Amino acid sequence: MKNLESKKNKKLGINFLLFIIFTSQTLIPVGVTFSRTALNSTYFLYELLDAYFFISLLVNPILISSLAKKVIEIEEKNNMWQLQIRLGEKVTDILLNKFKNLSSKLLLLQIIQWILVIVLSEKSKYFVFNMDVIIRLLLLFIAILFINLFSLALFMILEMKTKKVYLTSFLSIIGALSGIICMLTSRLLSYINPFAWISCLMNISYIKEGDKFIKILNPLQYYITIIALLFLVISIVYMKNMKKFLLEKE
């Protein structure tokens, strides 16, 4: 089944979509490195990461929903669901294999992105790579990975539950907008709304001191990692035990 999934994905443009994700998420961090002001910042590495988090907040729901949509749509064509069921395959097993396949690709993509961010941050004279920085980066890496994988599982489940072709695309746009609104209005809402969780990973805050604003490093948000992991596990268990599916779209 794993080899079959790989063959299916070759004709779906998955790698091209992953390239779009990579480009959109790293374009702003790369652009930041051309700013002399940013390069002279004590927190240059974290400013690059915040740029990466911000653009991810905007585009991830839409792009990840597109990934989920593509891998589900191929089964809806030419009655592939029914054919595989007749061959003894379970829908849940097919879904989990799709999820594992895409998860490995997203993990590899994220590793490359973070290596790029670290390499770019070396341009700053304040670049430091000690144990505290490594631990912080590792926790942030795990947190956003869990968030992205939960989003993938969520959109795959929604694709299997709706007859409307463009419903998940519409929900992803609404989700991206709601994430921005929550980030700008309420920290509590940012914890509640899964599409705003990435905003809770931001490293830098600004406080007013006299006539100017100064940058401070935010404490790590361990709760987001735990919440995202919990919801990821729940979604995978639900996917594994799904009983009802809508295998055709209107």
Side-chain angles (χ1 to χ4, degrees):
M1 282 298 296
K2 291 182 179 179
N3 292 333
L4 181 59
E5 283 302 319
S6 298
K7 290 178 181 178
K8 291 177 186 176
N9 290 345
K10 287 180 181 178
K11 298 181 179 181
L12 291 177
I14 295 296
N15 291 335
F16 178 70
L17 187 53
L18 289 170
F19 174 75
I20 293 176
I21 294 175
F22 176 85
T23 304
S24 62
Q25 290 177 340
T26 55
L27 188 61
I28 293 182
V30 170
V32 171
T33 61
F34 292 97
S35 169
R36 289 186 179 180
T37 303
L39 283 170
N40 291 326
S41 171
T42 308
Y43 301 121
F44 182 63
L45 169 59
Y46 299 123
E47 289 185 11
L48 290 181
L49 282 176
D50 282 359
Y52 166 77
F53 289 148
F54 179 73
I55 196 66
S56 296
L57 183 69
L58 284 173
V59 305
N60 278 18
I62 299 169
L63 294 177
I64 290 177
S65 72
S66 298
L67 282 175
K69 188 176 184 64
K70 277 184 172 293
V71 298
I72 299 299
E73 275 184 346
I74 193 173
E75 306 297 345
E76 295 164 357
K77 297 178 179 178
N78 303 317
N79 297 317
M80 284 295 293
W81 285 120
Q82 288 78 4
L83 176 60
Q84 291 176 99
I85 291 171
R86 291 193 194 102
L87 293 174
E89 297 291 344
K90 294 181 180 179
V91 174
T92 51
D93 290 341
I94 297 171
L95 279 177
L96 286 173
N97 280 323
K98 289 179 180 296
F99 178 76
K100 291 174 184 177
N101 188 280
L102 285 178
S103 296
S104 63
K105 291 179 182 294
L106 288 174
L107 173 59
L108 178 60
L109 181 69
Q110 188 172 315
I111 290 173
I112 295 172
Q113 288 174 322
W114 282 61
I115 291 175
L116 175 62
V117 168
I118 293 172
V119 170
L120 290 174
S121 68
E122 291 180 349
K123 292 184 176 183
S124 173
K125 62 182 179 181
Y126 295 104
F127 177 77
V128 176
F129 203 64
N130 55 30
M131 186 56 63
D132 290 338
V133 173
I134 292 172
I135 292 173
R136 187 181 186 96
L137 291 179
L138 183 61
L139 290 173
L140 290 171
F141 180 92
I142 293 171
I144 195 168
L145 178 64
F146 287 163
I147 293 170
N148 288 338
L149 295 186
F150 166 67
S151 296
L152 176 62
L154 175 64
F155 283 117
M156 289 183 68
I157 291 170
L158 291 175
E159 281 289 339
M160 297 300 296
K161 292 292 186 178
T162 179
K163 288 184 177 181
K164 303 296 182 181
V165 176
Y166 298 109
L167 180 62
T168 53
S169 298
F170 174 75
L171 290 176
S172 68
I173 295 171
I174 297 299
L177 292 174
S178 70
I180 295 296
I181 292 171
C182 289
M183 181 187 73
L184 297 174
T185 57
S186 171
R187 176 54 65 91
L188 177 61
L189 290 177
S190 296
Y191 276 103
I192 295 173
N193 182 1
F195 296 106
W197 285 346
I198 293 178
S199 68
C200 299
L201 303 179
M202 295 289 190
N203 294 281
I204 306 297
S205 289
Y206 294 84
I207 60 172
K208 191 171 184 181
E209 193 172 86
D211 295 331
K212 58 183 180 180
F213 289 90
I214 62 171
K215 301 172 185 177
I216 61 170
L217 190 62
N218 296 329
L220 276 171
Q221 299 295 327
Y222 298 98
Y223 297 116
I224 288 297
T225 307
I226 297 171
I227 293 170
L229 175 60
L230 177 62
F231 275 80
L232 173 60
V233 171
I234 291 172
S235 62
I236 293 174
V237 171
Y238 180 80
M239 193 186 304
K240 186 176 181 180
N241 294 282
M242 284 174 65
K243 302 297 181 183
K244 295 182 180 180
F245 318 95
L246 294 174
L247 303 181
E248 296 180 359
K249 294 282 191 295
E250 292 180 353

